[in-house]
Amino acid sequence: MQRWATTGLGLTLGLLTVCAAIKGADAPVVTVPTPDELGQAAALVKKLGDPSYEARRDADKELQQMGRAAKKVLRDNLANGDPEVVRRCERLLTLATRTETELALDAFLQNKDDKLLLKLPTWGRFSEMAGKDEAARMLFVEMYSSEGALLEALDKDPKAFGPVFNTRCTQLQQILWTPWGTQGNIGLGQVVALLFAASDPRMTFDINSFYQMTNFLYPNNIQQAFKADAGSRRILTTFIEKRCDQNTLPQIMPLILTMEIKELVPVALKMAIAKETQAYNKSTAMLIVGKMGTKEDAAKLEPMLTDTTNLGAVMQGTVRLDAQLRDVALAAVIEANGQSPTDYGFPYLQANPNVAARGGYVAPSWYGFAKDADRTEALKKFRDWQGKQAKK
């Protein structure tokens, strides 16, 4: 996992900076120090300016261990006449005012103990979706570091979260896109945080939010990150399972086909064989099964090899090619069996080999035939191949 080549110390320091946004949503617990604690903190702060490096180091460590109990004394000394004391007090005050979220994440980074993450209400749901291995835990930290304030807002008031979510999506859109093209980048942690929040059944989610979400899946760096990270793919799969319907499927399915998210094959197969799935969505789902599924998956598509539902047409020169659902089913079954549809007489693919060879999304209408005799011959050729494989 290349993005985790950073040392644990670097990630910890990063959290202190990035998690500053969380403070508005996750306020630190108020603690009242005892007189003894105040006296101890004051004595230690004086040592922060000691000529001895060891004395300064030890006082710094003890103040850090005191945590919030030293907060008042640290704040009072921000105007200290010793620049060294001021510098150390500023840093220690940042540590002392960390939220419970920041403390849990920081402690996890140092100790790699899952129990520390249990302090965060989102970890349970996240781990069920993405897993609990090292990569999933680090993805959780990246997600929380990037969008902690958003996730805290969801947990505080799920019913009022919709507008907060939409506002954050708009802000990230403005970072990512301008009228002149791409302006900047957003990270995997941010996209996963949005997907994770959007899949929460407690929040109100509308179709505009769905379209905003899918826009974040187009940048190449995000697509490559999903391909390299199994946990993020599982989060995306859950989002699609919970939020896709007949209206949004045409938007997301070609994108997932291009991204090659194999975790979505079971979802696509379910959509492909469901009677209520619209024909075009059904055909795209079948193509996903064909490109990323197994021959056992493809066997479940075979009942559709007789479905004559029309999917549209394309012109190949002066010849009209009409695509039917059975044509796409045949192409999917052929491909899932390790064969190329181009070898089975699909005219548009044969005339445009660059389209067939590039991988990714191919429109269902490109799988048509000029006449029934041609599709019958294609099916016969495949059945003959299957028969030979069975004998082997």
Side-chain angles (χ1 to χ4, degrees), residues 17 49 89 119 128 136 152 176 185 215 285 297 304 307-308 348:
T17 302
C89 283
K119 294 181 179 181
E128 288 180 1
E152 294 293 340
L176 191 59
N185 290 323
N215 284 337
D297 296 323
M304 281 172 278
D307 194 320
T308 59
Y348 189 87

Side-chain angles (χ1 to χ4, degrees), residues 71-370:
K71 187 170 61 174
K72 181 181 184 305
V73 175
L74 292 170
R75 185 174 288 117
D76 290 345
N77 277 273
L78 292 178
N80 192 293
D82 188 334
E84 175 69 8
V85 172
V86 172
R87 182 183 68 81
R88 288 179 179 270
C89 283
E90 287 175 344
R91 187 184 67 83
L92 288 165
L93 188 60
T94 300
L95 293 172
T97 55
R98 283 178 296 173
T99 66
E100 291 299 324
T101 295
E102 292 171 291
L103 288 169
L105 293 175
D106 186 33
F108 167 73
L109 285 173
Q110 296 183 44
N111 301 304
K112 299 295 187 293
D113 184 353
D114 286 357
K115 293 178 182 178
L116 298 167
L117 295 180
L118 293 176
K119 294 181 179 181
L120 302 176
T122 49
W123 169 245
R125 189 168 72 89
F126 180 89
S127 60
E128 288 180 1
M129 294 164 63
K132 297 182 179 180
D133 60 16
E134 175 71 9
R137 295 196 297 268
M138 297 308 291
L139 178 63
F140 179 80
V141 173
E142 183 179 3
M143 177 186 79
Y144 235 106
S145 302
S146 302
E147 295 295 334
L150 183 76
L151 298 172
E152 294 293 340
L154 170 61
D155 283 326
K156 279 202 165 186
D157 193 352
K159 292 183 179 179
F161 181 68
V164 177
F165 180 85
N166 291 337
T167 297
R168 185 57 180 152
C169 284
T170 300
Q171 290 170 344
L172 293 176
Q173 286 273 73
Q174 292 170 349
I175 293 173
L176 191 59
W177 303 107
T178 71
W180 303 276
T182 301
Q183 179 183 14
N185 290 323
I186 59 174
L188 178 65
Q190 290 174 293
V191 176
V192 169
L194 293 174
L195 290 168
F196 178 71
S199 64
D200 193 310
R202 298 173 299 170
M203 75 164 285
T204 302
F205 192 79
D206 57 36
I207 193 167
N208 290 328
S209 300
F210 183 91
Y211 290 139
Q212 280 189 307
M213 274 302 315
T214 55
N215 284 337
F216 297 125
L217 298 174
Y218 282 97
N220 183 64
N221 70 304
I222 295 299
Q223 293 194 3
Q224 294 305 315
F226 270 97
K227 288 181 180 181
D229 185 87
S232 63
R233 295 196 299 271
R234 289 191 283 268
I235 296 289
L236 177 58
T237 299
T238 302
F239 167 75
I240 291 174
E241 285 181 307
K242 292 183 178 295
R243 297 305 185 183
C244 262
D245 57 28
Q246 296 297 321
N247 295 319
T248 55
L249 277 172
Q251 171 83 5
I252 194 69
M253 297 301 259
L255 182 59
I256 298 308
L257 195 56
T258 301
M259 293 174 68
E260 300 178 354
I261 306 295
K262 292 186 178 181
E263 285 80 359
L264 279 166
V265 169
V267 180
L269 183 59
K270 182 179 178 180
M271 294 175 179
I273 63 180
K275 292 183 179 180
E276 64 271 16
T277 304
Q278 296 171 0
Y280 194 86
N281 294 336
K282 189 184 290 280
S283 64
T284 306
M286 286 194 292
L287 291 176
I288 290 176
V289 175
K291 288 187 177 294
M292 295 182 286
T294 65
K295 60 182 179 181
E296 289 74 22
D297 296 323
K300 298 175 183 178
L301 301 180
E302 295 215 7
M304 281 172 278
L305 290 172
T306 59
D307 194 320
T308 59
T309 301
N310 188 273
L311 297 172
V314 295
M315 296 299 296
Q316 180 54 49
T318 59
V319 179
R320 176 188 171 98
L321 305 175
D322 289 289
Q324 299 177 3
L325 204 57
R326 57 177 172 172
D327 302 332
V328 177
L330 177 58
V333 171
I334 288 171
E335 198 156 16
N337 277 273
Q339 301 290 292
S340 171
T342 306
D343 297 332
Y344 286 83
F346 286 84
Y348 189 87
L349 299 184
Q350 289 182 332
N352 299 274
N354 59 316
V355 170
R358 73 184 180 191
Y361 178 66
V362 178
S365 58
W366 295 350
Y367 289 95
F369 290 93

Side-chain angles (χ1 to χ4, degrees), residues 24-57:
D26 179 15
V29 175
V30 177
T31 55
V32 179
T34 65
D36 287 345
E37 287 175 325
L38 290 172
Q40 180 187 1
L44 288 170
V45 166
K46 287 182 180 180
K47 292 183 180 180
L48 292 178
D50 195 281
S52 167
Y53 166 76
E54 288 76 12
R56 296 196 304 272
R57 180 197 62 194

